[in-house]
Amino acid sequence: MYGGDIVLRFNVTTSEEAAALSEATNILFLDVWETRDDWVDIRLAKDMLPSLLGLLPTSLHQSHTPLMHDLAQSIHESYPSPAFDRSGTPQDGNAFTPALRSASSSEENLFFRDYQPLSVLAPWMRLLASLFPTHVRLINIGITYEGRDIPAFRIGVHPTNSQQPQGKRQTIIISAGSHAREWISVSTVNYIAYSLITSYGKSPAITKLLERFDWILIPSLNPDGYAYTFEVDRLWRKNRQQTSLRFCRGLDLDRSWGYQWDGEISRGNPCSESYPGEAAFEAVESRRFADWARNETENNNVEFVGFLDLHSYSQQVLYPYSYSCASTPPSLENLEELALGLAKAIRLTSGEAYAATSACEGSVTSARDKNDVKSIHPRMETGGGSSLDWFYHEMQVRYAYQLKLRDTGNYGFLLPRENIVPTGEEALAAVTYFGEFLWSIKGIEDDSPAKDGTLVSPGMTHREEELRDVSRWVHPPTEADLRSDVGESRLADDEEEHEDTDLGQGTKQWELKRRRRRR
């Protein structure tokens, strides 16, 4: 499989090129891997290249470079070590025992040395829950199309204090694996979960976050597809649901949600990698997740205050909206502020540059004219029906993000196993910063977008104190870091080194002066 396939990066500079490339990929049913400001990555068979170029303007005939010359070999190298057979079952019973070590020795933890199949992941989750019953519970989000559970960790501690009234439990969701081939997202949620669980009572910063919030961590929202990538097709993206065409199975879980679902564009093509189904929430796993979330808020005294959906690849922190680049979320400035903070927390931890922008602008090509005015090119695929927009708008989760992990195209979805721990570390830095940011805000519930797009309350009490020190854990930036003058030696050097990176594409420049300071 994929023996004659290659991955090409097309450099797109005009709207005409973007429109032609989009139309050609639809005609030829090509697999669009990723889209950024000025490039599009596409997988195709080598013998399809002449047909593709025949549909494109001449300006694109030489405007492409190969990312992977031997896709089949890259796929082979991405699978777990020989301790596994093709199904993901350990040949040696002790090969992948989910040994638990201290968080400081995570690189020595055998579990994170490789990508883990579902047959290892499920018992590992059960083991963690059984070893740490004081602050960990294993819950079930729902049942997949093929009848598998969608397991998740609920991590948190409820301190007993009779002098304080018990209100709704504020909860943060971290999900991954909607797209089955994005293995690094699954491993990263596992890394975050393991770190939070084993650091309770050891790290004061993490302990306080687990006392302040409940954390729902869903390693794989698409267990059927995830299992299929280990057993049959490494690059499978969708779930395994039957469609109207017997030979084209699967729906895109991140295009089937109910808010701004625009399946009219691609509903007639079940073979499309982004096929959203015939109606909103037709994808079983998306519907189960939405039903679970509604039930939590309506019947279980839960208030969702944060949502992080992990994907790969392209290294971006994305905020609403995904469905349209023309629509502006009502809390845009707050979304931007936290997005930039998350990107900087990652950069200060690992040196990796993550761009911060809207989910729509992060998935389209664009260009700037001589006056630095940005123009958006036609989209390669629909952005409607995303979980990001649904949680932000329908569930009124004010801080909702999609975090696209490593890398920027060298390996794409086939990121080598050596990146599991480094990616986990930088994502953990972002998650810790995320929790600290929400913790420092009063009235989280008072600035959520109403379903008509307006703010429930026109004001919000901004942070009242500096972000607490978590340096002994992951060294995310404090508020003092964010406010510090560029003349300060450490940050000055850092900014000079990265001033030409794509963090915010040069459009935001840490616009703290522009952002609202509510008191």
Side-chain angles (χ1 to χ4, degrees), residues 419-432:
N419 288 268
I420 292 175
V421 170
T423 304
E425 289 175 342
E426 63 194 27
L428 179 61
V431 166
T432 307

Side-chain angles (χ1 to χ4, degrees), residues 218-280:
I218 311 170
S220 177
L221 190 62
N222 183 9
D224 295 348
Y226 187 65
Y228 193 75
T229 60
F230 278 87
E231 298 167 1
V232 181
D233 183 353
R234 171 65 180 88
L235 294 179
W236 186 261
R237 168 184 166 102
K238 302 181 285 185
N239 72 357
R240 293 295 298 157
Q241 194 166 335
Q242 185 61 60
T243 68
S244 57
L245 291 181
R246 180 181 57 84
F247 52 87
C248 287
R249 298 175 68 100
L251 281 69
D252 185 344
L253 296 190
D254 202 37
R255 292 293 173 260
S256 64
W257 292 73
Y259 182 68
Q260 293 294 333
W261 180 83
D262 56 358
E264 296 295 337
I265 297 175
S266 55
R267 65 187 299 179
N269 181 15
C271 298
S272 168
E273 293 289 351
S274 57
Y275 177 59
E278 295 296 318

Side-chain angles (χ1 to χ4, degrees), residues 9-13 17 38-40 59-60 62-65:
R9 170 163 294 181
F10 283 85
N11 297 310
V12 178
T13 58
E17 291 178 349
D38 57 358
W39 52 259
V40 179
S59 58
L60 286 176
Q62 302 298 323
S63 185
H64 58 81
T65 55

Side-chain angles (χ1 to χ4, degrees), residues 9-271:
R9 170 163 294 181
F10 283 85
N11 297 310
V12 178
T13 58
T14 68
S15 293
E16 291 73 20
E17 291 178 349
L21 189 58
S22 177
E23 183 178 3
T25 56
N26 289 330
I27 293 173
L28 300 176
F29 300 110
L30 301 182
D31 183 8
V32 178
W33 275 25
E34 191 57 69
T35 304
R36 280 288 298 270
D37 293 327
D38 57 358
W39 52 259
V40 179
D41 293 347
I42 298 175
R43 176 185 64 82
L44 73 162
K46 290 181 181 178
D47 56 11
M48 289 287 292
L49 184 56
S51 299
L52 173 60
L53 295 180
L55 297 172
L56 300 178
T58 55
S59 58
L60 286 176
H61 287 188
Q62 302 298 323
S63 185
H64 58 81
T65 55
L67 294 181
M68 296 182 191
H69 294 278
D70 191 344
L71 183 60
Q73 180 62 28
S74 298
I75 289 174
H76 174 74
E77 293 172 355
S78 74
Y79 276 102
S81 64
F84 285 100
D85 62 24
R86 178 61 184 234
S87 68
T89 303
Q91 296 176 350
D92 176 357
N94 296 320
F96 278 85
T97 300
L100 297 172
R101 301 172 183 257
S102 65
S104 62
S105 61
S106 58
E107 291 191 37
E108 300 176 9
N109 191 318
L110 201 58
F111 186 82
F112 296 110
R113 289 186 185 175
D114 228 326
Y115 294 108
Q116 306 299 346
L118 206 60
S119 59
V120 172
L121 176 57
W124 180 80
M125 294 179 70
R126 290 194 295 268
L127 178 59
L128 275 180
S130 68
L131 290 176
F132 300 93
T134 57
H135 55 288
V136 183
R137 282 198 297 132
L138 195 61
I139 63 174
N140 186 19
I141 300 298
I143 306 298
T144 70
Y145 175 79
E146 293 184 339
R148 293 181 174 89
D149 289 339
I150 305 175
F153 289 117
R154 184 187 290 272
I155 307 171
V157 182
H158 298 212
T160 301
N161 189 340
S162 59
Q163 296 180 355
Q164 294 184 0
Q166 297 298 314
K168 290 187 175 183
R169 182 62 171 172
Q170 293 186 332
T171 301
I172 297 170
I173 298 174
I174 305 177
S175 63
S178 292
H179 296 147
R181 62 191 177 188
E182 297 170 7
W183 286 3
I184 189 61
S185 71
V186 176
S187 293
T188 300
V189 168
N190 290 334
Y191 187 95
I192 294 168
Y194 176 84
S195 301
L196 294 179
I197 290 169
T198 58
S199 294
Y200 176 70
K202 300 176 183 177
S203 165
I206 298 298
T207 299
K208 290 178 181 179
L209 289 179
L210 299 190
E211 292 175 349
R212 178 65 177 84
F213 302 106
D214 270 3
W215 299 76
I216 305 296
L217 288 97
I218 311 170
S220 177
L221 190 62
N222 183 9
D224 295 348
Y226 187 65
Y228 193 75
T229 60
F230 278 87
E231 298 167 1
V232 181
D233 183 353
R234 171 65 180 88
L235 294 179
W236 186 261
R237 168 184 166 102
K238 302 181 285 185
N239 72 357
R240 293 295 298 157
Q241 194 166 335
Q242 185 61 60
T243 68
S244 57
L245 291 181
R246 180 181 57 84
F247 52 87
C248 287
R249 298 175 68 100
L251 281 69
D252 185 344
L253 296 190
D254 202 37
R255 292 293 173 260
S256 64
W257 292 73
Y259 182 68
Q260 293 294 333
W261 180 83
D262 56 358
E264 296 295 337
I265 297 175
S266 55
R267 65 187 299 179
N269 181 15
C271 298

